[in-house]
Amino acid sequence: MPRYSAFRLAVLLYAGTACAQSESPAPKEVLTYNIEWRLITAGKAVIAWRPTEVEGHAGWQAHLDLESAGMVSRLYKVEMESDSTVDQDFCAVSTLTTGREGSRRRETSVTFDAEAHKAFYRERDLVKNAVISNQQVAIPPCVHDVLGGMFYLRGLELEP
């Protein structure tokens, strides 16, 4: 599956403790995160979440915009967009991530087929216009991608 840069991992780990600002509750919710690394502003992430129709049923669409900032951006520029579609149970249907990390430009798509219990992964190098990886893996009936998983966890009543 995809390799994650240190910046992306930092965003995923920090997002759980960042202060989110909800610009509007439902039907569309926008969360904005300032990303810091050792007291240095490293970037900004904006996640927009809205209801949508998925294969004729109710579902959800999440869109992530991620951009490095300040000194981090001068050292290693990161720009990433990711779209996730999940069904009403937050099971992943598809993801499409396009990004730039330094001089690399990649597009990664994953399509989840719950009935066939398979996920189809494809990664393309946009600079060379070439397919880097094309894989198929077995999955359980319901899997969560990163964005859908975040919203699924938010709805659980977890005890401390």
Side-chain angles (χ1 to χ4, degrees):
M1 284 292 174
R3 295 184 317 210
Y4 288 99
S5 70
F7 183 77
R8 267 199 235 166
L9 285 175
V11 168
L12 295 177
L13 293 174
Y14 188 78
T17 59
C19 294
Q21 300 170 350
S22 178
E23 293 178 6
S24 100
K28 181 176 180 179
E29 184 174 28
V30 178
L31 305 172
T32 302
Y33 296 91
N34 290 322
I35 303 162
E36 293 181 3
W37 180 68
R38 297 188 182 216
L39 303 175
I40 297 172
T41 300
K44 184 176 183 178
V46 178
I47 303 171
W49 182 256
R50 66 180 174 85
T52 190
E53 188 172 305
V54 178
E55 299 171 352
H57 297 63
W60 302 94
Q61 176 81 39
H63 178 81
L64 167 70
D65 278 317
L66 178 68
E67 187 173 351
S68 58
M71 184 171 55
V72 172
S73 192
R74 283 186 220 117
L75 296 172
Y76 193 74
K77 180 80 171 162
V78 175
E79 296 173 330
M80 187 177 85
E81 279 190 36
S82 186
D83 288 300
S84 294
T85 304
V86 298
D87 65 16
Q88 63 190 8
D89 297 321
F90 299 97
C91 300
V93 174
S94 66
T95 65
L96 176 64
T97 303
T98 306
R100 171 184 165 200
E101 297 178 46
S103 61
R104 293 177 15 163
R105 290 186 53 225
R106 300 282 167 96
E107 177 185 83
T108 305
S109 65
V110 184
T111 305
F112 302 89
D113 187 341
E115 290 181 18
H117 301 285
K118 295 199 181 288
F120 303 93
Y121 172 86
R122 182 180 179 150
E123 185 175 3
R124 290 184 49 231
D125 184 323
L126 298 176
V127 174
K128 297 177 182 175
N129 195 24
V131 174
I132 297 170
S133 181
N134 206 3
Q135 300 176 22
Q136 177 179 320
V137 296
I139 60 170
C142 180
V143 296
H144 302 286
D145 67 340
V146 173
L147 293 174
M150 279 180 27
F151 282 90
Y152 173 76
L153 284 172
R154 233 174 60 155
L156 296 178
E157 293 182 24
L158 301 174
E159 294 295 322

